[in-house]
Amino acid sequence: MKSYEMMEKIGATLKDGESIIVSIAHRGSWNGANRYTITNKSIEYLDHKWNWHGTLLATYSERVLHKAWM
């Protein structure tokens, strides 16, 4: 599953007016991530952060799969 598809599924779990910020880490040895704001109606690029980690998989696991990320 691609990152955008995961963000769409997370958005489907949100209520009107609710938003969440997730980050998608770079591939390889880069130490940074792109951050996105997700609502039930849209996915918007927020910014890029160096020395940041990804949170997309943990958020997807908690909100869509209802499992704690280890």
Side-chain angles (χ1 to χ4, degrees):
M1 179 179 307
K2 300 207 183 246
S3 302
Y4 199 84
E5 293 171 309
M6 293 175 93
M7 290 191 286
E8 286 177 331
K9 290 185 183 224
I10 292 168
T13 69
L14 300 173
K15 298 175 184 170
D16 286 340
E18 189 178 11
S19 67
I20 194 165
I21 296 174
V22 298
S23 55
I24 301 172
H26 296 158
R27 289 185 178 186
S29 62
W30 295 27
N31 191 15
N34 291 322
R35 296 190 320 151
Y36 295 84
T37 302
I38 303 172
T39 66
N40 64 348
K41 296 179 171 114
S42 68
I43 299 169
E44 295 180 24
Y45 174 78
L46 185 59
D47 59 11
H48 174 269
K49 292 279 190 182
W50 288 107
N51 297 319
W52 206 260
H53 62 280
T55 61
L56 179 62
L57 292 177
T59 304
Y60 179 82
S61 178
E62 291 169 6
R63 295 203 64 102
V64 179
L65 302 177
H66 306 290
K67 295 181 181 179
W69 182 259
M70 293 188 183

